[in-house]
Amino acid sequence: MLRQSLITLGQYFRLLGLVFQKPTKQRLFMRQIRDEIYYLGVNSTAIVAVISFFVGAAVTAQIKYNIDSPFMPDYALGFATRKAIILEFAPTIIGIILAGKIGSHIASQLGTMRISEQIDAIEAMGINSANYLILPKIIACFIFCPILIMLSIVTALVGGWTIGVNVAGLTTYQYIYGIQFEHNSFDLLYAIIKIVVFSFLISSMSSFYGYNVKGGALEVGRASTKAIVNSSIAIIVFNMVLTQLLIA
Amino acid sequence: MIDIQHVNKSFEDKQVLFDVSIIFEKGVNNLIIGQSGSGKTVLMKCLLGLLTPESGKILFDERNFVGADTKTLHDVRKEVGTVFQNSALFDSMSVLKNVMFPLDMFTEWNYIQKAERAIDCLEQVGLENVEDKMPSDLSGGMRKRVAIARAIANRPKYLFCDEPNSGLDPYTSSLIDDLIAELTYRHKMTTVINTHDMNSVLKTGDRINFVYKGHIAWQGTSAEILSSGSTELVEFLESSELTKRLLHKN
Ligand SMILES: Nc1ncnc2c1ncn2[C@@H]1O[C@H](COP(=O)(O)OP(=O)(O)OP(=O)(O)O)[C@@H](O)[C@H]1O
Ligand SMILES: [Mg+2]
């Protein structure tokens, strides 16, 4: 079991070694990144926005019902919502959603290419297939994940505002004052660092599972599941580690 | 010329190729024939370096390919065009993009030049007005032809075809054979073809290598194949009505 995990880890790093090399054709590489940003990123905006909105609303409602007291200033609700969303909810939840959406997409795409010999065909032409197929995905994730996290934070705060104004009886001014209270730009950086790490875990791990599929369509499905489960676990573990490192 | 010397290949505990030695000459059609499961595809994948033999040498015009560093591997492969058994077209790209792919990767041509070459190659395999179709919209035979067009797009020195006419009707199949043979002679390519189509064997088999359970059981030309004297080969030829009749006429 442990031995097998170490072997898998070794194969993972060896694949990364192949991935991080100079692309064969620079211009083509740029075009690929652009396409991947579209397929992986732009297509994820709707789901990120919807989920963030409702998570933001739920977080605000929880804070309101659980820690509401006459001693709490009006701006506390907005402030607590902001902290919770930027520091934990947005990075982790978006990480997990992307693990599901992007992870399964990448793993099944590469897995299908593997079993239908398309990866062999690329290799047979003298092209480093790992580099050609995987590097654009990783870079695209680096570029759009910080944008997605911003989108997520904004929509979650809007979700919180909906609850704050309609249910908790705040005015818009009080809520906005709350979310601006003791503004700390490190919090945002913190969220971005987290999502960048998560996006690397998602794109590289699901590429690893897809790229190494052996067998048929059934194995592609299995690789896709493995990619989602394992990158979600990795995200949760790294979230804890990063929280310790960055806060301490 | 490709010189294969004493190649052995196994998977886990099952040996697939046994001491295989063949010379594939330049400018002629080199055929590998044999039953399903005899190891033809495995041999071709060894030639491409997609599988690594446990022992033996594969020399591409003096350059040893077995255990070569990544750079040599890629340099040799750039000179190879390959048609895979199940076509292996890129299903996210249109037919035109598929054929242009090797040109995109290895030439500095502009779009017009690449598209012209690609369309020319498609015409050579008898395909017209399919440039904008996706591979999933084509029949199996058409996909095969696109795969051949892609393989020859960058004018390779070596051409490998794994069953180029399986799944094609006899007419198209014969066209493909002629096409590969003609390209081979015209461009002086070293062509290696896996096949169990007896028609192509008799028609285009300049050099024939018969693989039986991973061993090279017979080597010769299409003129000699009917009088080989090899029991395994005769048994194999008898399974085809065409060659069976020819055998018994002799
Ligand atoms: N990746 C692999 N792992 C294990 N065994 C394999 C692998 N690839 C091929 N084999 C085995 O090697 C043997 C030869 O297979 P190969 O694909 O070369 O046959 P073939 O001559 O190309 O047959 P066909 O005419 O059906 O294409 C088969 O018994 C097959 O099971
Ligand atoms: Mg085969």
Side-chain angles (χ1 to χ4, degrees):
Chain A
M1 174 70 183
L2 180 70
R3 205 179 108 88
Q4 190 51 47
S5 313
L6 285 177
I7 293 176
T8 309
L9 202 64
Q11 288 168 334
Y12 172 70
F13 282 112
R14 212 173 54 198
L15 180 67
L16 288 185
L18 288 173
V19 169
F20 287 99
Q21 285 183 9
K22 200 168 154 286
T24 313
K25 256 310 199 25
Q26 212 69 35
R27 196 148 24 94
L28 208 65
F29 182 63
M30 291 302 163
R31 213 181 319 142
Q32 277 180 289
I33 292 179
R34 191 196 63 198
D35 293 346
E36 296 292 352
I37 288 180
Y38 182 79
Y39 287 126
L40 300 176
V42 177
N43 284 334
S44 300
T45 49
I47 184 170
V48 164
V50 170
I51 291 184
S52 302
F53 180 88
F54 286 104
V55 167
V59 166
T60 313
Q62 284 292 356
I63 294 171
K64 164 77 184 149
Y65 292 125
N66 287 308
I67 53 169
D68 201 15
S69 86
F71 302 109
M72 218 166 78
D74 295 333
Y75 61 77
L77 187 59
F79 176 70
T81 303
R82 182 196 87 202
K83 279 284 183 188
I85 286 178
I86 298 185
L87 295 182
E88 285 303 322
F89 281 94
T92 330
I93 294 207
I94 297 313
I96 302 282
I97 296 171
L98 294 183
K101 189 154 193 309
I102 299 181
S104 63
H105 179 92
I106 293 180
S108 55
Q109 187 199 3
L110 292 180
T112 309
M113 292 188 78
R114 168 62 78 192
I115 62 165
S116 59
E117 297 184 314
Q118 293 176 52
I119 293 184
D120 284 348
I122 294 175
E123 277 294 319
M125 287 177 198
I127 297 161
N128 174 344
S129 63
N131 168 269
Y132 173 78
L133 293 169
I134 301 176
L135 191 57
K137 296 190 200 306
I138 292 180
I139 305 235
C141 281
F142 273 146
I143 296 172
F144 71 73
C145 278
I147 298 173
L148 281 184
I149 198 87
M150 295 298 173
L151 172 77
S152 164
I153 290 170
V154 171
T155 43
L157 290 178
V158 173
W161 169 81
T162 322
I163 292 290
V165 171
N166 295 314
V167 179
L170 291 184
T171 64
T172 300
Y173 174 79
Q174 284 168 327
Y175 182 76
I176 291 186
Y177 181 81
I179 63 176
Q180 291 178 333
F181 184 72
E182 279 191 351
H183 170 76
N184 183 351
S185 51
F186 176 72
D187 286 358
L188 268 186
L189 181 66
Y190 170 92
I192 291 176
I193 292 175
K194 273 190 172 181
I195 200 72
V196 164
V197 172
F198 296 166
S199 71
F200 177 73
L201 290 172
I202 297 169
S203 50
S204 63
M205 286 178 68
S206 42
S207 296
F208 172 73
Y209 286 110
Y211 190 81
N212 289 314
V213 166
K214 281 196 181 70
L218 206 61
E219 277 78 8
V220 175
R222 229 173 260 153
S224 181
T225 311
K226 256 196 218 161
I228 299 172
V229 171
N230 291 343
S231 50
S232 301
I233 294 174
I235 285 173
I236 301 294
V237 172
F238 270 79
N239 182 50
M240 194 197 71
V241 174
L242 284 175
T243 303
Q244 292 300 324
L245 282 179
L246 294 170
I247 298 279
Chain B
M1 191 188 81
I2 303 172
D3 187 357
I4 305 181
Q5 300 174 355
H6 309 292
V7 162
N8 286 287
K9 172 73 196 165
S10 1
F11 293 103
E12 277 107 45
D13 50 354
K14 180 166 165 269
Q15 188 156 0
V16 177
L17 297 178
F18 299 82
D19 194 31
V20 170
S21 298
I22 310 177
I23 290 179
F24 295 123
E25 304 218 9
K26 187 177 165 186
V28 298
N29 286 299
N30 299 280
L31 265 50
I32 303 172
I33 63 172
Q35 281 173 19
S36 191
S38 55
K40 303 185 296 294
T41 299
V42 170
L43 178 59
M44 193 162 274
K45 288 199 171 165
C46 288
L47 286 181
L48 287 164
L50 296 174
L51 295 172
T52 314
E54 285 89 53
S55 61
K57 278 186 182 170
I58 299 176
L59 302 169
F60 279 74
D61 293 308
E62 314 297 313
R63 292 166 295 181
N64 187 14
F65 201 54
V66 177
D69 55 90
T70 326
K71 189 175 175 309
T72 319
L73 217 61
H74 283 179
D75 285 347
V76 172
R77 283 172 176 171
K78 278 173 202 161
E79 301 171 2
V80 178
T82 314
V83 179
F84 281 82
Q85 191 161 352
N86 50 23
S87 301
L89 298 180
F90 304 126
D91 40 358
S92 62
M93 299 180 193
S94 69
V95 166
L96 186 68
K97 282 274 157 62
N98 261 284
V99 181
M100 279 169 59
F101 185 81
L103 306 172
D104 278 336
M105 294 311 284
F106 300 118
T107 70
E108 296 298 332
W109 299 356
N110 64 33
Y111 181 84
I112 311 254
Q113 288 169 307
K114 288 184 286 193
E116 269 176 5
R117 168 66 73 82
I119 290 171
D120 174 56
C121 290
L122 285 167
E123 273 172 11
Q124 291 193 52
V125 295
L127 288 175
E128 269 163 48
N129 301 322
V130 294
E131 293 84 24
D132 299 325
K133 290 218 163 75
M134 297 307 279
S136 55
D137 298 335
L138 302 179
S139 72
M142 287 164 97
R143 295 163 63 101
K144 199 119 235 181
R145 286 192 268 171
V146 175
I148 296 175
R150 182 178 70 184
I152 59 172
N154 203 18
R155 298 280 148 83
K157 267 171 82 174
Y158 313 94
L159 180 65
F160 298 161
C161 305
D162 198 353
E163 305 198 12
N165 39 26
S166 69
L168 297 183
D169 60 278
Y171 179 77
T172 315
S173 172
S174 164
L175 278 185
I176 296 282
D177 285 341
D178 290 341
L179 170 70
I180 294 174
E182 191 204 308
L183 290 167
T184 302
Y185 303 141
R186 177 153 21 110
H187 299 297
K188 294 266 172 293
M189 291 189 292
T190 304
T191 300
V192 180
I193 305 166
N194 282 356
T195 187
H196 30 50
D197 184 307
M198 283 308 148
N199 207 1
S200 355
V201 172
L202 295 176
K203 195 163 153 197
T204 59
D206 299 328
R207 301 277 188 286
I208 301 170
N209 303 275
F210 173 61
V211 188
Y212 183 77
K213 292 189 178 157
H215 300 266
I216 298 293
W218 183 81
Q219 294 178 307
T221 67
S222 58
E224 300 160 355
I225 194 164
L226 294 172
S227 49
S228 66
S230 150
T231 38
E232 290 90 4
L233 182 56
V234 169
E235 193 187 320
F236 180 65
L237 294 176
E238 295 229 313
S239 61
S240 152
E241 199 52 37
L242 171 71
T243 40
K244 187 177 175 181
R245 286 186 191 179
L246 288 172
L247 270 175
H248 292 289
K249 229 167 71 185
N250 277 14

